[in-house]
């Protein structure tokens, strides 16, 4: 979370962008909301292959972006959450055929208990030798920021830190390498956890949509869900044509930081010329357009009605000048756990 040193004149907001796709099940028979059928997955892979996308290793691409080393244009990373057994049957062979890497975020506490549902350590080891990265999704897929009764704040934080550290330790022991990549279960995070992960050199990923760029917050990197309602190829094509909205991501609130409902969100532009663009629009889960108030260097966004309990999003887009069908994209996740009166 260091300071940004982007000179306005040299700022190119389309440079060094990484789209990360997020899948769960790849199976014809698993629940619709988190699944993509093998046929549809194949359509995604064919589209990536025939349209010049560069499938990159997640940890290497992130490292390059952080160091300011150029990524290939149209770089895409593929990720799978939860490490389901069906990946070995329907998804990973398709990647292997194309010599493409992917990252599998796993829960050791679940895979050790339910061997018929999840890839085993032996299988993960096999796939890591085929070029797949095995990464951290927590010990047993707990809700990390929904503190259970009977825990003090400090005790709860300790429990979650232990879940992350034990998972990383197991990956290192079983697979032989630790990349310190964490995907938040359910995409839920909070400020204390982000700070702790940054202090401990972890890179962390949410489930809010968007693109990774040098100006991203590396404790809450966005990924595009590509399963369920997002599995359609036309949706995927649209997401692949996006860049990270050029705002100061270090100033964003955590999903839990709602002091009013609907919450007001302030975005600070990295380049003032964006502030006057009237094509900028934001949408609220289940509501339609949000109200937008443009100021000199920033913009205020607020839903018209209170957000529902649970997870919501403000999704914002802006067409890219001189690049038809391309959009800057940004998504702010919200988590409402109780009504704010
Ligand atoms: Zn998960």
């Amino acid at each position: 979370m260091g300071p940004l040193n982007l000179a306005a004149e040299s700022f190119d907001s389309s440079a060094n962008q990484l789209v990360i796709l997020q899948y769960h099940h790849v199976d014809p028979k698993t629940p619709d909301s988190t699944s993509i059928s093998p046929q549809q997955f194949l359509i995604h892979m064919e589209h990536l292959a025939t349209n010049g996308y560069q499938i990159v290793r997640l940890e290497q691409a992130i490292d390059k972006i952080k160091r300011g080393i150029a990524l290939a244009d149209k770089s895409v990373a593929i990720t799978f959450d939860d490490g389901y057994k069906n990946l070995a049957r329907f998804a990973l062979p398709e990647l292997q055929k194309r010599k493409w890497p992917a990252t599998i975020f796993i829960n050791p506490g679940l895979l050790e208990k339910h061997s018929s549902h999840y890839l085993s350590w032996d299988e993960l080891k096999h796939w890591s030798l085929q070029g797949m990265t095995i990464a951290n999704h927590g010990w047993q897929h707990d809700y990390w920021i929904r503190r259970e009764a009977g825990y003090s704040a400090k005790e709860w934080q300790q429990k979650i830190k232990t879940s992350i550290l034990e998972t990383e330790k197991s990956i290192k022991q079983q697979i032989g390498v630790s990349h310190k990549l964490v995907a938040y279960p359910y995409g839920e995070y909070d400020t204390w956890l982000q700070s702790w992960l940054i202090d401990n050199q972890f890179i962390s990923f949410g489930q809010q949509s968007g693109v990774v760029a040098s100006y991203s917050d590396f404790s809450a990197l966005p990924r595009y869900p590509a399963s369920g309602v997002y599995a359609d190829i036309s949706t995927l094509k649209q997401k692949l044509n996006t860049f990270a909205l050029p705002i100061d991501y270090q100033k964003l609130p955590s999903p839990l930081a709602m002091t009013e409902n609907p919450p007001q969100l302030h975005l600070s532009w990295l380049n003032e010329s964006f502030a006057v663009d009237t094509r900028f629009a934001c949408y609220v889960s289940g509501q339609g357009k949000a109200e937008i108030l443009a100021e000199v260097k920033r913009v205020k966004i607020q839903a018209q009605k209170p957000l529902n309990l649970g997870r919501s999003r403000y999704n914002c887009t802006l067409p890219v000048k001189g690049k038809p069908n391309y959009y800057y994209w940004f998504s702010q996740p919200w988590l409402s756990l109780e009504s704010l009166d």
Side-chain angles (χ1 to χ4, degrees):
M1 297 198 185
L4 289 157
N5 291 309
L6 296 165
E9 316 83 67
S10 65
F11 178 67
D12 175 1
S13 55
S14 67
N16 248 15
Q17 305 268 334
L18 173 67
V19 167
I20 306 175
L21 301 179
Q22 182 209 7
Y23 297 95
H24 289 93
H25 291 282
V26 180
D27 193 301
K29 293 196 291 265
T30 46
D32 281 351
S33 65
T34 54
S35 297
I36 184 168
S37 69
Q39 292 89 333
Q40 196 66 26
F41 183 76
L42 194 56
I43 292 172
H44 285 197
M45 298 304 110
E46 291 291 333
H47 179 77
L48 295 168
T50 52
N51 288 278
Y53 291 96
Q54 306 295 313
I55 309 305
V56 296
R57 187 173 290 283
L58 182 62
E59 67 273 17
Q60 286 176 359
I62 297 289
D63 188 57
K64 281 185 178 175
I65 291 172
K66 289 190 84 174
R67 292 148 166 268
I69 300 169
L71 277 188
D73 277 352
K74 303 178 94 171
S75 284
V76 173
I78 296 171
T79 68
F80 299 96
D81 283 14
D82 310 342
Y84 294 113
K85 204 104 180 160
N86 49 49
L87 299 182
R89 183 156 171 218
F90 296 113
L92 300 174
E94 288 299 329
L95 299 176
Q96 188 184 25
K97 215 188 282 176
R98 295 169 173 81
K99 297 197 165 56
W100 285 353
T103 298
I104 309 170
F105 289 100
I106 62 156
N107 307 106
L110 296 184
L111 76 88
E112 288 172 8
K113 259 191 248 165
H114 308 284
S115 56
S116 61
H117 279 75
Y118 299 94
L119 294 168
S120 67
W121 283 121
D122 281 348
E123 289 168 301
L124 292 167
K125 177 76 186 172
H126 165 81
W127 287 108
S128 85
L129 295 172
Q130 303 300 314
M132 309 302 161
T133 298
I134 311 304
N136 194 328
H137 201 31
W139 191 257
Q140 50 186 10
H141 216 288
D142 293 314
Y143 285 99
W144 285 354
I145 60 174
R146 304 188 191 201
R147 175 155 52 108
E148 287 166 19
Y151 286 89
S152 70
K154 208 174 165 194
E155 286 165 349
W156 183 256
Q157 292 182 8
Q158 194 49 53
K159 175 179 149 79
I160 303 313
K161 290 172 190 175
T162 302
S163 164
I164 297 169
L165 292 173
E166 287 301 310
T167 300
E168 201 62 29
K169 199 166 102 186
S170 284
I171 292 173
K172 173 82 174 131
Q173 279 169 355
Q174 299 281 350
I175 309 297
V177 55
S178 148
H179 292 293
K180 304 191 89 168
L181 307 175
V182 170
Y184 297 113
Y186 311 100
E188 296 181 0
Y189 54 90
D190 195 5
T191 318
W192 67 264
L193 184 51
Q194 291 178 273
S195 305
W196 181 79
L197 286 163
I198 289 276
D199 289 347
N200 288 276
Q201 287 81 49
F202 283 94
I203 302 286
S204 313
F205 302 84
Q207 295 184 18
Q208 76 278 18
S209 53
V211 184
V212 178
S214 61
Y215 42 89
S216 293
D217 175 353
F218 290 85
S219 71
L221 294 174
R223 296 183 290 165
Y224 280 118
S227 307
V229 293
Y230 305 107
D232 190 78
I233 188 65
S234 61
T235 309
L236 180 76
K237 285 179 186 172
Q238 194 184 37
K239 302 297 169 57
L240 290 168
N241 288 0
T242 55
F243 298 136
L245 190 72
I247 53 167
D248 186 349
Y249 286 82
Q250 317 301 326
K251 288 187 183 154
L252 296 175
S254 87
L256 261 187
M258 283 177 57
T259 52
E260 54 181 343
N261 194 2
Q264 195 173 69
L265 178 66
H266 296 187
L267 305 183
S268 304
W269 296 104
L270 294 180
N271 183 316
E272 285 170 36
S273 68
F274 284 90
V276 295
D277 199 317
T278 54
R279 299 169 304 163
F280 180 68
C282 297
Y283 300 84
V284 183
S285 320
Q287 288 193 23
K289 275 196 173 179
E291 283 178 29
I292 292 177
L293 181 63
E295 296 179 340
V296 181
K297 290 184 181 174
R298 64 175 196 171
V299 62
K300 286 185 192 168
I301 300 151
Q302 192 166 30
Q304 316 223 19
K305 287 180 279 181
L307 305 181
N308 295 332
L309 283 179
R311 292 189 291 272
S312 301
R313 306 257 189 276
Y314 288 178
N315 281 336
C316 301
T317 60
L318 174 67
V320 178
K321 277 196 184 116
K323 233 172 147 43
N325 303 320
Y326 273 75
Y327 286 84
Y328 293 107
W329 192 286
F330 164 72
S331 178
Q332 169 67 37
W334 297 109
L335 180 60
S336 174
L337 295 181
E338 55 194 273
S339 48
L340 299 164
D341 294 319

